[in-house]
């Protein structure tokens, strides 16, 4: 670890904040940036120097681009009632270079927010999508509409662009052209976290005069993949990790997305250019009828008909779209599906296959298929500037030419609809002399079903997944956890817990209780030994600072449910208020 080379700090008098602090730092008996003592937790530690003094912080390969002291109460975050506290905002870059492949400049960009009253903890905020931009380092708690964040709780927080800045404002191909550079691919896959972690911990140590007592990494979607990669590539630097809706097999999921677009195209109307308009393949009403059919068949399997399907596994055995969704008869257009649309959904939920080989996991039938997020991911993003461009530029070896997919007009649609499982899909496993690591090497967590070092040293990992996630299958995550359990037996639950969230789409939304606090849960597990037996999740109804418009009208606006560690289910006790989590048991 970096601090092992530091000499102990001996203070002759208290260090105060402000310009004088740098002078006092220089009067210490150890080098100015040295500190080897762990921070005491929850003592609201003040910085050992001014924010401006960080400009002289030394770290090989790092360049600080801006430093600013943010006044208390001057910054608000949507959905959170309390304004942000005073903190030092630091932005910079690490490992600046010019690519020998595409001739462009690259660096690992980062933002850190260091509160003036520090709780002694470090929070790595793993961001999502194709990264490429500095998301404010507030330390989001994940889930829908969080009412607090890590910065408010006193964490020192870092976020990153994962080693590349998006071109063209992140639109079209500009979001993924970094995939032409092999090192940028590696940084995006795993190296940015590995490089930034020791830098951030050293900067925190210099700023406060203590090294972090505990370190946490949280992320959802691609950030959830970052989180699982950190656990699998464990170096002992994170005590607790939270991965939400993790796209840990992201290249395979991207293949599934463009293949899914091909299925929708079978029943879509043609636009003026003669191309399939995927949004016409299913109307919102048609997907709602399917969701209602799933609920009709599966809602009561957990013991209570409440619009939430907690027994997801039983639902997969019981629901049959051919039997449970009415087939349209002659002239009938409502509360039914024609046979072509039934076949499309049957294929989609079964997942892509190449002969007998399943290329990505099946998807679970659940009530959130009529969510707007579900619709957007399947009918827009799959052929737009997310899945198609990531697949072409970042995950394929070699990457496609920018001339093939230029981000204008319908070319992304053409690329997705012409993608071949036989000819193109194998390229996510390929490498060559320039791209020496295949996408399925640099993106997924290596040996994800083992995580031996992380588990053996007692690291803690919480994974949660929405059952109606339209892009990363919750069944893929279930299969991973089952494999992990086979390898580690009872020890699995001592280090890893999985929580499934009925109705929730990709990280939030859908007819779900999608507001919860996994940050407090992981901290309690790491620091107090309180393994999460249940996590309370709430609906964001009327009165919420960030209401969820997809909450059914017959739910209480304050509905809550316990999220139970897999394979336990939330079951109604038969006595209490069915709108409150206290009336449910995890069994």
């Amino acid at each position: 670890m970096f601090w092992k080379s530091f000499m102990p700090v001996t203070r002759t008098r208290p260090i105060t904040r402000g310009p004088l602090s740098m002078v006092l730092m220089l009067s210490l008996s150890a080098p100015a940036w040295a500190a080897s003592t762990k921070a005491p937790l929850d003592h609201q530690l003040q910085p050992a120097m001014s924010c401006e003094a960080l400009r002289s912080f030394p770290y090989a390969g790092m360049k600080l681009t801006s430093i600013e002291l943010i006044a208390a109460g001057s910054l608000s975050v949507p959905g959170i009632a309390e304004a942000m506290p005073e903190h030092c905002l630091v932005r910079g870059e690490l490992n600046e270079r010019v690519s020998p492949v595409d001739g462009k400049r690259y660096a690992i960009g980062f933002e850190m927010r260091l509160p003036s009253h520090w709780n002694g903890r470090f929070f790595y905020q793993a961001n999502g999508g194709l990264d490429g931009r500095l998301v404010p380092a507030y330390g989001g708690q994940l889930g829908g509409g969080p009412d607090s964040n890590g910065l408010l709780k006193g964490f020192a927080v870092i976020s990153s662009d994962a080693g590349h800045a998006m071109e063209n404002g992140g639109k079209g191909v500009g979001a993924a052209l970094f995939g032409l550079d092999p090192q940028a691919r590696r940084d995006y896959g795993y190296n940015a976290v590995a490089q930034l972690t020791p830098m951030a911990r050293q900067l925190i140590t210099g700023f406060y005069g203590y090294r972090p007592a505990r370190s946490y990494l949280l992320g959802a979607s691609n950030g959830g993949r970052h989180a699982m990669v950190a656990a699998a590539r464990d170096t002992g630097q994170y005590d607790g990790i939270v991965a939400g809706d993790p796209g840990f097999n992201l290249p395979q999921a991207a293949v599934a997305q463009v293949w899914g677009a091909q299925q929708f195209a079978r029943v879509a109307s043609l636009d003026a250019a003669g191309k399939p308009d995927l949004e016409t393949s299913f109307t919102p009403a048609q997907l709602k009828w399917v969701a209602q059919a799933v609920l009709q068949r599966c809602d009561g399997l957990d013991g209570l008909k409440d619009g939430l399907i907690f027994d997801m596994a039983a639902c997969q055995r019981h629901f049959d779209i051919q039997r449970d969704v009415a087939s349209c008869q002659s002239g009938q257009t409502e509360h039914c599906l024609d046979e072509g649309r039934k076949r499309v959904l049957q294929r989609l939920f079964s997942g892509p296959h190449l002969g007998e080989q399943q290329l990505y996991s099946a998807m679970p039938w659940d009530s959130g298929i009529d969510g707007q997020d579900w619709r957007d991911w399947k009918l827009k993003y799959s052929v737009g500037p997310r899945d198609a461009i990531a697949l072409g530029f970042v995950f394929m070896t070699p990457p496609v030419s920018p001339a093939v997919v230029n981000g204008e007009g319908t070319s992304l649609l053409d690329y997705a609809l012409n993608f071949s499982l036989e000819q193109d899909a194998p390229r996510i496993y390929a490498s060559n002399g320039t791209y020496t690591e295949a996408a399925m090497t640099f993106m997924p967590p290596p040996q994800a079903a083992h995580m031996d070092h992380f588990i053996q040293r007692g690291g803690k990992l919480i994974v949660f997944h929405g059952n109606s996630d339209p892009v990363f299958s919750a069944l893929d995550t279930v299969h991973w956890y089952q494999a992990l359990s086979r390898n580690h037996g009872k020890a699995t639950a001592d280090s890893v817990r999985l929580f499934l969230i009925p109705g929730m789409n990709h990280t939030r939304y859908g007819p779900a209780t999608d507001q919860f606090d996994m940050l407090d849960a992981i901290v309690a597990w790491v620091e107090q030994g309180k393994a999460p037996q249940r996590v309370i999740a709430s609906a964001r109804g009327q009165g919420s600072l960030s209401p969820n418009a997809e909450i059914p009208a017959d739910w209480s606006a304050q509905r809550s449910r316990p999220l139970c560690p897999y394979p336990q289910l939330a079951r109604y006790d038969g006595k209490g208020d069915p709108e409150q989590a206290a009336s449910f048991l995890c069994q």
Side-chain angles (χ1 to χ4, degrees):
M1 297 278 184
F2 67 90
W3 60 78
K4 291 183 178 178
S5 63
F6 290 173
M7 296 174 60
V9 170
T10 302
R11 292 191 175 124
T12 58
R13 54 195 172 107
I15 294 178
T16 59
R17 299 180 58 239
L20 182 60
S21 65
M22 195 62 187
V23 177
L24 293 174
M25 281 292 289
L26 294 173
S27 71
L28 301 178
S29 63
W33 300 98
S36 61
T37 304
K38 272 189 179 182
L41 289 172
D42 298 317
H43 278 63
Q44 294 200 352
L45 299 168
Q46 294 187 357
M49 63 179 61
S50 70
C51 186
E52 184 64 23
L54 276 175
R55 290 191 184 277
S56 60
F57 176 74
Y59 193 86
M62 187 194 71
K63 177 176 68 176
L64 296 182
T65 56
S66 68
I67 295 178
E68 180 183 4
L69 183 66
I70 306 298
S74 65
L75 178 64
S76 296
V77 175
I80 297 179
E82 188 177 354
M84 296 301 102
E86 180 181 280
H87 62 277
C88 183
L89 171 58
V90 180
R91 293 192 179 105
E93 296 178 338
L94 192 63
N95 300 346
E96 181 182 8
R97 62 188 175 82
V98 174
S99 168
V101 177
D102 64 11
K104 295 179 180 177
R105 176 188 174 276
Y106 289 92
I108 303 174
F110 66 87
E111 171 179 302
M112 293 188 71
R113 293 181 186 259
L114 307 170
S116 297
H117 297 282
W118 182 44
N119 66 11
R121 301 176 179 91
F122 168 45
F123 185 131
Y124 192 112
Q125 174 184 302
N127 297 314
L130 284 164
D131 282 299
R133 62 191 182 94
L134 289 181
V135 177
Y138 298 136
Q141 295 180 156
L142 314 180
D147 58 8
S148 185
N149 59 36
L151 184 61
L152 266 176
K153 292 173 183 283
F155 288 75
V157 185
I158 187 172
S159 74
S160 165
D161 65 8
H164 60 275
M166 287 182 176
E167 299 180 13
N168 305 323
K171 296 179 180 179
V173 169
L177 281 179
F178 74 90
L180 301 179
D181 177 69
Q183 183 59 46
R185 288 185 171 201
R186 286 189 289 270
D187 287 343
Y188 174 60
Y190 61 87
N191 190 55
V193 173
Q195 295 293 314
L196 287 175
T197 295
M199 182 280 297
R201 291 173 62 124
Q202 187 163 330
L203 190 146
I204 290 168
T205 300
F207 188 57
Y208 294 106
Y210 294 97
R211 60 186 170 94
R214 295 292 187 184
S215 297
Y216 299 89
L217 189 152
L218 289 81
S221 188
N222 179 54
R225 181 195 63 82
H226 280 303
M228 288 185 64
V229 167
R233 293 179 178 267
D234 181 47
T235 58
Q237 297 188 89
Y238 288 101
D239 304 288
I241 295 174
V242 177
D245 287 50
F248 60 95
N249 284 320
L250 207 159
Q252 293 178 340
V255 169
Q257 280 288 89
V258 298
W259 172 83
Q262 296 171 9
Q263 310 315 304
F264 287 116
R266 296 169 183 255
V267 292
S269 300
L270 301 182
D271 62 17
K275 303 293 178 64
D277 179 358
L278 298 192
E279 293 196 65
T280 66
S281 60
F282 285 83
T283 67
Q286 287 171 325
L287 293 177
K288 187 174 184 63
W289 300 334
V290 177
Q292 290 172 339
V294 176
L295 280 171
Q296 182 65 31
R297 175 62 63 178
C298 300
D299 191 5
L301 296 175
D302 55 20
L304 179 68
K305 288 193 173 184
D306 59 352
L308 291 168
I309 301 168
F310 277 96
D311 199 341
M312 180 184 74
C315 186
Q316 308 320 299
R317 297 190 299 269
H318 283 73
F319 181 76
D320 183 329
I321 190 171
Q322 294 296 336
R323 178 195 63 206
D324 296 327
V325 176
S327 296
C328 294
Q329 304 302 315
S330 179
Q332 185 181 5
T333 59
E334 293 188 354
H335 302 287
C336 63
L337 287 183
D338 59 74
E339 291 303 317
R341 285 178 169 79
K342 281 190 177 184
R343 287 193 295 270
V344 164
L345 290 181
Q346 186 72 62
R347 282 193 295 267
L348 185 78
F349 277 79
S350 297
H353 288 74
L354 189 56
E356 296 298 317
Q357 179 188 5
Q358 180 131 17
L359 300 184
Y360 185 62
S361 176
M363 295 174 58
W365 294 103
D366 190 52
S367 60
I369 187 175
D370 63 337
Q372 184 61 47
D373 186 65
W374 196 97
R375 183 177 182 84
D376 286 346
W377 274 101
K378 289 301 184 189
L379 305 182
K380 291 182 182 180
Y381 305 153
S382 60
V383 295
R386 292 198 185 184
D387 297 306
I389 60 169
L391 188 57
F393 291 115
V394 185
F395 303 149
M396 301 280 277
T397 299
V400 301
S401 166
V404 175
V405 187
N406 61 26
E408 302 294 333
T410 60
S411 59
L412 287 174
L413 174 66
D414 291 338
Y415 176 73
L417 297 186
N418 291 321
F419 186 89
S420 168
L421 292 187
E422 293 80 5
Q423 300 299 319
D424 298 324
R427 290 167 61 186
I428 67 174
Y429 301 92
S431 61
N432 61 24
T434 301
Y435 303 95
T436 57
E437 293 183 69
M440 285 302 293
T441 299
F442 68 76
M443 287 297 287
Q447 295 186 313
H450 289 273
M451 297 189 175
D452 293 346
H453 186 264
F454 183 80
I455 290 176
Q456 288 165 7
R457 74 171 176 87
K460 308 301 181 189
L461 170 63
I462 292 176
V463 179
F464 68 86
H465 209 133
N467 290 352
S468 288
D469 187 334
V471 59
F472 302 134
S473 171
L475 289 179
D476 200 34
T477 300
V478 168
H479 297 155
W480 158 76
Y481 187 82
Q482 291 171 337
L484 190 75
S485 297
R486 287 193 295 271
N487 288 324
H488 292 282
K490 293 181 179 180
T492 305
D494 294 334
S495 281
V496 184
R497 302 230 166 163
L498 168 63
F499 296 86
L500 299 174
I501 304 164
M504 191 174 82
N505 286 172
H506 186 53
T507 77
R508 59 181 69 86
Y509 301 126
T513 53
D514 69 341
Q515 186 179 61
F516 41 82
D517 191 333
M518 291 295 180
L519 178 56
D520 281 359
I522 194 68
V523 169
W525 195 6
V526 167
E527 298 177 16
Q528 302 170 36
K530 295 181 178 178
Q533 305 299 331
R534 53 199 277 146
V535 174
I536 304 303
S538 302
R540 294 180 286 131
Q542 293 182 356
S544 169
L545 291 176
S546 54
N548 178 3
E550 295 176 329
I551 296 299
D554 59 349
W555 288 17
S556 165
Q558 289 77 41
R559 170 179 281 200
S560 61
R561 288 291 185 272
L563 305 178
C564 302
Y566 179 86
Q568 295 184 46
L569 308 176
R571 296 192 182 277
Y572 178 52
D573 66 7
K575 298 176 292 185
D577 181 355
E579 293 295 326
Q580 299 301 311
S583 304
F584 291 78
L585 304 173
C586 287
Q587 297 178 332

